[in-house]
Amino acid sequence: MNLKTHLHGGHMSMWKKIFGRDNHDDNNYQTDDFKSLLHYVNNLAAHKLGYPVSLLTYLGIVDNQSLGIKPGSLANVLLNNVGDPFKDSETSLLEVKKHEREILLILERYYGLPLNDARGYVTTGGTEGNFASLWWSKRYVINKSIETLVEKDNIVKLKQKEEQELQADLAKIPLNDYQKRIDQLQKIIDAKNIITENKNISQQLITPTVFYCKEHTHYSIPKIAEVLRLNVRPVKANQDGSIDLKDLEKELLLHVGAYPYSGVVVIANIGTTITGAIDNVPEINAMLKRIMRIPNFTIHMDGALAGFVLPVLKPFGEVANYFDAIGVNTLAVSAHKYPGLSQPCGIILAQKDFFNKAFEKSERSIEYVGNIVDVTITGSRSGLNVLMFYNALHALGMDKGVEKLTRMVEENIEHASYLYKRLVELYGSERVKYPFQFNVSFPKPSKELSKKYQLMLTGENATICVLTNVTKKLIDQFIKDLKNEKEKAMSNVDMKVDYKIQTLNEEYAKAATELFIKAFCDSEPVTKYLHVSYKDYEPFAQEVIKKAVKEGLSKIAIDRHNRIIACAIGEDLADPFIPHEQHYPKLKPVFALLDELSSPFTQGKKFAKGKVFHIWIAAVDQAYRGLGLSTEIDMACVEAAARKGFDYAYAEFTNELSEKVTSQFKILKLCNRIPYNTFILDNGTMPFQGVEGAAASYIATIRPGVKLESIANSYTTTERY
């Protein structure tokens, strides 16, 4: 059968038999009548000529049955909502904007907005929602200042013309008429200054600044700000993941002092990804009103997960209108997170006044797609996603009330609390965190278990987000697997019998290098944050191990199968390892951190040989962690150094777990501590901003009778005056 016969004699005739009509249906179906909608859509598909879509699934040429999509269903024909849902296309009719408007109407009532006050559209998810909100916000703050912008632009044009005339007049003044030339030059300088000042103000007016919590705000925000050419100003987070309001206030004051005309957009998180924190939006709004000299600002709520259940959670108490009452302009929600659609999907919401101001005097009608108005990021949008969203809202009964959704959220929180208690039984309350409604964090299990249960991993922790699919049965199954894994790990390691500690030598150099690379690339906070790969790290590890083998001051732990399970690298501080940074450029920020960390103790000093032992690297195989092996291997290194006559041990720690070894020393002094968030390179960048914790350095005595005050006898100063 040729293609022409296949199209017309086969599947097309089949469709005519099924639907039996060639006439066009008017768009008069009820939104909840999917059968009527299906007839309407298929009649449109049978008569489509104009638009460049070939409808291969509708024709049956592409068979989607293997995906579970039935021929003759709404999921098997193109539904394309192009542009603003409030403007139906005049000719591109394969759309379901009536359903999209119904979604907005349901959510309008749900969030307490006045009738017909909600604007927005169904997005592909949280990132597009954030993108639309920042785009709309930029347009909003610019349009609010449009009169000032026009005024400043007119001044610039006027002064530029004046400057040209002054330059022309200057050329006519005799070179020996010094006073007149000086006066004329001053006028030119004054004109240039006015031009520069007004250009600067105009630049501030067209470039809003986004304030966001770098550690916990969605990764899309800086990316979107870059595309939209917005300034970004990161703000610190509280321990629970919410915005530090004191730091926000400080940053706003600095911003207003430096850029008084720049509009401001604050990103408020409604449920951060890891901790589930909800920012104090009413206080942020009050702060902006108090600080901003020119009241030109917006607040965007990134509510990817918790935004959908905000009126159920009630973090701000009883709120009648979740926009006006707390000072919000836009809200983005990911519908595949909650209510849980099977396709990535979301919604962006705004109030009509804000929206109209953002698109004031903007003609966005596109003729060839039926004079639709486009205020969206993507233009074309999945009509199937719209129908799924619509269906989910009705399945939850949200067209009538929130009783079913409320029960569901209460059950989620009950199960999250249950998970927290079960995990506390295993790890203790200090190692399990349940800060907010759905998220529970605990020590990271094995990669195998993390993959099986698809856990969110950050640093040394894992997080479970307890939503409706997480039943008590699933929690119990996970806890059982977790217990079995812990028991297996414990049975595999007997600290007294199953391993021995010895000096690192050439025989074990390769294995020690591999352990060193794996431990630091997989688990060390700073190297993980810099995305240092095994290949990036390998030259450094090889150089370190080569020197360590030669000096014979380092220790390894070997299990009964002759495998290295831990190592500790030590050296004489009189002959420290000097990194060849060109061999491993990604580690430059780490070396810069270590240099600054050590400078209070080492700068300007030449240490005597055999006096100060530098213990600076410890690595433990992941399967053997949590058993005190890091402390034991470190102390084996230190004790061997003491037997060789070293009086002191100096150490830097970039991992708070390794720092626990300091409890083994009776005489100890903290030399320096640098929080990762505050460390600044010479070029002004902050390479570890967003990394929790701090790096620290210590000096300790390691032989009886040695006093810490006598450390000065171990070095001579090298400073010259």
Side-chain angles (χ1 to χ4, degrees), residues 11 68 70 85 122 146 151 165 187 206 286 311 333 348 350 391 491 528 533 547 552 558 570 668 687 717:
H11 289 277
K70 296 179 180 179
V122 173
I146 197 70
E151 175 194 339
E165 293 171 352
K187 291 177 182 178
I206 64 173
V333 167
I348 174 68
N391 192 48
S491 65
K528 282 190 69 179
S533 67
K547 180 175 184 288
I558 305 168
L668 178 79
T717 57

Side-chain angles (χ1 to χ4, degrees), residues 277-290:
I278 294 177
D279 289 327
N280 190 338
V281 181
E283 181 55 35
I284 291 171
N285 182 47
M287 185 184 296
L288 286 165
K289 288 179 177 178
R290 185 173 68 250

Side-chain angles (χ1 to χ4, degrees), residues 76-351:
N76 207 52
V77 64
L78 174 73
L79 296 172
N80 185 6
N81 279 19
V82 184
D84 191 340
F86 288 92
K87 177 65 170 70
D88 290 332
S89 173
E90 295 170 7
T91 55
S92 180
L93 303 179
L94 283 166
E95 62 181 14
V96 284
K97 288 186 177 177
K98 286 172 67 173
H99 293 81
E100 194 166 14
R101 291 193 290 272
E102 180 70 20
I103 291 169
L104 290 168
L105 185 63
I106 291 171
L107 295 179
E108 178 180 78
R109 292 195 298 267
Y110 178 56
Y111 288 107
L113 277 69
L115 183 64
N116 296 324
D117 195 47
R119 292 295 180 268
Y121 69 93
V122 173
T123 67
T124 55
T127 294
E128 187 186 347
N130 288 336
F131 204 140
S133 77
L134 286 177
W135 177 41
W136 295 354
S137 295
K138 179 180 181 179
R139 294 184 59 90
Y140 174 80
V141 296
I142 290 174
N143 283 342
K144 278 197 73 177
S145 303
I146 197 70
E147 291 181 4
T148 306
L149 190 59
V150 170
E151 175 194 339
K152 299 303 176 185
D153 187 54
N154 288 338
I155 292 173
V156 168
K157 290 176 181 176
L158 183 66
K159 286 297 176 181
Q160 285 175 335
K161 182 180 179 182
E162 182 182 320
E163 182 195 357
Q164 290 173 354
E165 293 171 352
L166 289 169
Q167 292 280 10
D169 290 344
L170 176 64
K172 298 174 184 177
I173 300 174
L175 295 176
N176 60 356
D177 193 344
Y178 303 119
Q179 187 58 51
K180 195 168 184 180
R181 288 184 69 83
I182 289 170
D183 292 343
Q184 191 72 2
L185 284 168
Q186 186 60 54
K187 291 177 182 178
I188 292 171
I189 291 169
D190 291 343
K192 283 181 177 291
N193 287 340
I194 293 171
I195 291 168
T196 300
E197 178 186 351
N198 282 275
K199 278 187 173 182
N200 179 268
I201 292 171
S202 295
Q203 188 62 41
Q204 290 182 44
L205 289 170
I206 64 173
T207 313
T209 299
V210 179
F211 289 77
Y212 71 106
C213 178
K214 185 172 182 180
E215 295 95 329
H216 293 278
T217 294
H218 193 259
Y219 66 85
S220 65
I221 296 299
K223 175 175 65 176
I224 296 164
E226 181 182 350
V227 174
L228 292 175
R229 297 192 176 185
L230 306 173
N231 293 323
V232 290
R233 200 156 187 138
V235 180
K236 293 179 182 177
N238 295 314
Q239 192 171 5
D240 66 3
S242 60
I243 284 181
D244 184 332
L245 293 178
K246 288 185 179 179
D247 193 58
L248 175 61
E249 183 174 29
K250 180 197 77 174
E251 293 294 340
L252 281 170
L253 288 168
L254 289 171
H255 171 76
V256 169
Y259 309 103
Y261 290 89
S262 174
V264 163
V265 183
V266 176
I267 308 296
N269 289 316
I270 308 299
T272 56
T273 304
I274 301 302
T275 67
I278 294 177
D279 289 327
N280 190 338
V281 181
E283 181 55 35
I284 291 171
N285 182 47
M287 185 184 296
L288 286 165
K289 288 179 177 178
R290 185 173 68 250
I291 291 174
M292 294 290 289
R293 296 178 190 173
I294 302 171
N296 193 12
F297 60 84
T298 77
I299 299 174
H300 168 58
M301 291 198 300
D302 183 357
L305 170 59
F308 186 80
V309 293
L310 191 60
V312 176
L313 295 173
K314 294 181 170 55
F316 313 123
E318 292 294 336
V319 175
N321 180 326
Y322 275 89
F323 284 73
D324 278 345
I326 60 176
V328 167
N329 300 100
T330 52
L331 166 65
V333 167
S334 294
H336 54 278
K337 293 186 172 81
Y338 226 125
L341 273 61
S342 60
Q343 298 296 319
C345 179
I347 196 157
I348 174 68
L349 293 172
Q351 283 187 291

Side-chain angles (χ1 to χ4, degrees), residues 466-533:
V466 182
L467 298 179
T468 306
N469 68 293
V470 183
T471 61
K472 284 188 176 181
K473 182 179 179 181
L474 181 58
I475 291 170
D476 289 340
Q477 178 186 326
F478 171 69
I479 295 295
K480 181 180 178 181
D481 285 352
L482 200 57
K483 280 182 177 179
N484 290 339
E485 182 175 271
K486 284 176 67 68
E487 289 169 1
K488 183 178 178 181
M490 292 299 293
S491 65
N492 285 341
V493 180
D494 184 331
M495 294 178 64
K496 294 181 180 179
V497 178
D498 280 347
Y499 67 84
K500 63 180 180 178
I501 293 176
Q502 68 176 54
T503 301
L504 172 63
N505 57 33
E506 186 64 43
E507 179 186 354
Y508 293 100
K510 183 179 179 181
T513 302
E514 290 173 356
L515 173 62
F516 182 13
I517 293 168
K518 193 172 186 300
F520 275 75
C521 290
D522 290 350
S523 303
E524 191 69 12
V526 291
T527 46
K528 282 190 69 179
Y529 188 77
L530 294 174
H531 303 293
V532 178
S533 67

